[in-house]
Amino acid sequence: MKQEQYPYEPEFSFKQVLDQRRKDFWLLWKHRYTLIVIGIIGAGLGALYAWTRPITYTAKLTFVVEEGSSGGGSLLSGLAGQFGFDLGGMSGTGGVLAGDNVQELLRSQKMIKNTLLTPFRTDSSLTLADRYAETSKLKKPWAEKYNEGKPIHFPAIGTKYTRLQDSLLQVMVKMITEYELSVGKTDKKLSFFEASVTMANEEVAQLFTTRLIDQATRFYIETKTLRLRNNVNRLQARADSIGRLLNRKTYSASAANNVLLDINPAYPTANVNVELKERDKMVLQTIYAEIVKNLEISRTMLIQETPTFQIVDEPELPLEKNRTGYLKSMVFGGLILGFAYALYLLLFNRE
C-alpha cells in the first residue's frame, strides 16, 4: 500500500514574521513620496466631496404618549352594566396602537402622505408635497420625463390624483421613510419618543415634523376611542329623540288639562284621556332620565380613556444645520486613498 504524501509545512518562526514586516516597511518607505502624493490627491477628493454635499437641516420633536387611565374602568363598567350597557373591553392600553407601535404609526405611509398633502402655508395653494418635490429636485425631472414638461402639482387632501401624481407621491414617501425620518425612544426605560426629520429645506423640515405629530395624534386618539365615541353618539341621539317626544307629550298633557276644566261633569270617562297623557309623560320622563344618566357615564369613560400626546420639545427656526466638514473629509479622503495604494503595493508590487 502506497503511503500518502502530505505537503510540507514549514515551522512557524517569529523571526521570519519580523523580517517580513521589515521588508513591508522598507517597501512602503521606498514609495513614500508616491504615498504622500496619493494622500494629497485623496485629501483633495475629500474636499471636493465636502463641497458638493448639500446642506441639510434636522428638525427634532420630543413627545410623550400618555395612555388613557383604566383605573376606574371596572367601576364604570359595573355601573353601566346596571343600566344594560356593556362597556367591558373598551378600557385598557392593549391593542394595535399600544406602546412602541406609536413609532410604526409615525412611519406609516398613510401618516406621511397625509402630512405631505397639507397646505404649505395658510395663504398658499401649494402643499408640502409641492415644496418637498421642488427642494428635493424631483418635480422638474419628473415633469420633463413623464409629463411633457408640464409642472406636477398636488392639491390639498380630497382631490383625486392621477397615476403620475400617485407615483411621485410614493417616491417621496419612500425617500422620507428610508432616509429622512427617524423615530425612536430617547431612553428605553422612559415613555419619551423623539421624531427626527432631516431635509434639504429648513422650513419644510420644521412643518413636516410638527404636522406629522398632529396627524398621528388625531388618528391615534380617534382609533383608541372609536367604540366609546360611537356609544356616546348613539346615546346622545336617543336622548335628543326622546327629549323632543317628551316635549310634545308635555304640551299635549297641558292642553288636555285645560280642556278638562270646561268639560261636562255628566261624562264620567272624560278624564281618561288626561290620565293616559300624564302616564305617557311620566314613562318618557323615566326613560329620558335613565338615558341621560347612561350618557354621562359613557362621557366620563370616554374622557378617562382618551390618550394624550404631550409635546415636550418642538423644532424652532433656525434648525440644526448639517454640513460636511472640510477638514474631516480631507483627512478621511487622504487616509482611505493612501491605505488603498499601500495595500496595492504590499499585495501586487513586491519588487
Side-chain angles (χ1 to χ4, degrees):
M1 182 177 180
K2 187 177 179 182
Q3 187 176 2
E4 186 176 355
Q5 298 292 329
Y6 292 95
Y8 171 75
E9 295 184 3
E11 296 181 359
F12 175 78
S13 174
F14 189 69
K15 181 179 179 182
Q16 290 180 354
V17 175
L18 290 179
D19 291 340
Q20 188 62 44
R21 299 290 79 80
R22 189 181 297 109
K23 291 179 181 178
D24 293 341
F25 173 77
W26 287 113
L27 175 63
L28 297 179
W29 181 256
K30 179 181 178 181
H31 295 83
R32 60 186 181 278
Y33 296 112
T34 307
L35 282 170
I36 293 174
V37 173
I38 294 295
I40 294 174
I41 295 175
L45 293 176
L48 181 62
Y49 172 80
W51 181 68
T52 56
R53 288 290 296 174
I55 299 175
T56 58
Y57 301 87
T58 299
K60 294 182 180 180
L61 188 146
T62 305
F63 63 96
V64 60
V65 180
E66 181 182 354
E67 296 288 351
S69 173
S70 58
S74 59
L75 175 61
L76 290 175
S77 297
L79 290 175
Q82 297 179 6
F83 306 107
F85 291 91
D86 181 17
L87 299 181
M90 296 183 186
S91 61
T93 58
V96 177
L97 295 179
D100 294 343
N101 291 345
V102 175
Q103 302 179 51
E104 294 303 318
L105 173 63
L106 291 174
R107 295 174 57 85
S108 65
Q109 180 177 347
K110 180 178 181 178
M111 293 296 103
I112 295 176
K113 183 176 179 180
N114 290 345
T115 303
L116 286 173
L117 295 179
T118 56
F120 179 60
R121 293 193 182 97
T122 54
D123 57 346
S124 174
S125 60
L126 296 177
T127 59
L128 271 178
D130 290 312
R131 195 74 180 102
Y132 178 83
E134 182 180 348
T135 56
S136 300
K137 300 180 180 179
L138 292 173
K139 179 174 285 190
K140 187 175 181 180
W142 272 67
E144 294 176 352
K145 187 175 182 180
Y146 301 108
N147 204 34
E148 300 177 352
K150 300 178 183 178
I152 303 174
H153 294 293
F154 297 93
I157 295 176
T159 306
K160 186 176 181 180
Y161 298 107
T162 64
R163 184 183 181 91
L164 179 60
Q165 290 173 320
D166 287 334
S167 299
L168 183 52
L169 270 175
Q170 291 179 5
V171 171
M172 291 189 289
V173 170
K174 185 176 180 180
M175 286 180 58
I176 293 173
T177 304
E178 295 183 357
Y179 305 109
E180 298 177 341
L181 174 62
S182 174
V183 182
K185 279 190 171 183
T186 56
D187 192 324
K188 293 183 178 180
K189 298 180 181 180
L190 303 177
S191 299
F192 286 84
F193 295 87
E194 182 181 80
S196 177
V197 176
T198 301
M199 294 181 175
N201 185 274
E202 186 177 27
E203 189 175 5
V204 173
Q206 182 202 31
L207 292 176
F208 181 87
T209 306
T210 55
R211 292 180 183 179
L212 178 63
I213 299 299
D214 292 339
Q215 292 285 335
T217 299
R218 286 195 294 269
F219 180 82
Y220 186 90
I221 293 176
E222 289 174 2
T223 304
K224 291 283 287 187
T225 61
L226 178 62
R227 295 175 62 187
L228 283 173
R229 283 188 293 105
N230 289 339
N231 191 42
V232 169
N233 292 336
R234 287 194 296 266
L235 287 173
Q236 184 65 62
R238 191 173 180 184
D240 294 340
S241 176
I242 294 180
R244 289 191 294 268
L245 183 59
L246 180 60
N247 291 337
R248 289 197 293 268
K249 288 295 182 181
T250 301
Y251 283 111
S252 178
S254 177
N257 283 323
N258 290 333
V259 172
L260 186 62
L261 295 176
D262 300 327
I263 201 166
N264 192 339
Y267 296 99
T269 60
N271 62 341
V272 172
N273 184 42
V274 176
E275 292 183 0
L276 290 175
K277 292 182 181 299
E278 288 291 341
R279 183 195 63 185
D280 292 342
K281 176 184 174 183
M282 292 180 62
V283 170
L284 286 175
Q285 283 179 332
T286 303
I287 296 175
Y288 183 74
E290 293 300 323
I291 290 179
V292 170
K293 188 184 299 182
N294 295 336
L295 178 60
E296 292 304 315
I297 292 175
S298 298
R299 283 175 175 170
T300 303
M301 190 74 172
L302 177 60
I303 293 173
Q304 287 189 343
E305 296 303 320
T306 300
T308 303
F309 269 66
Q310 183 64 45
I311 296 178
V312 180
D313 293 316
E314 56 184 346
E316 297 180 352
L317 299 178
L319 297 180
E320 176 184 350
K321 184 182 296 186
N322 305 309
R323 174 181 293 172
T324 306
Y326 281 93
L327 180 59
K328 183 178 179 180
S329 298
M330 291 172 65
V331 171
F332 274 99
L335 290 176
I336 292 174
L337 202 60
F339 178 78
Y341 183 70
L343 187 63
Y344 166 76
L345 291 176
L346 295 175
L347 294 178
F348 304 105
N349 193 2
R350 307 288 304 183
E351 77 274 4

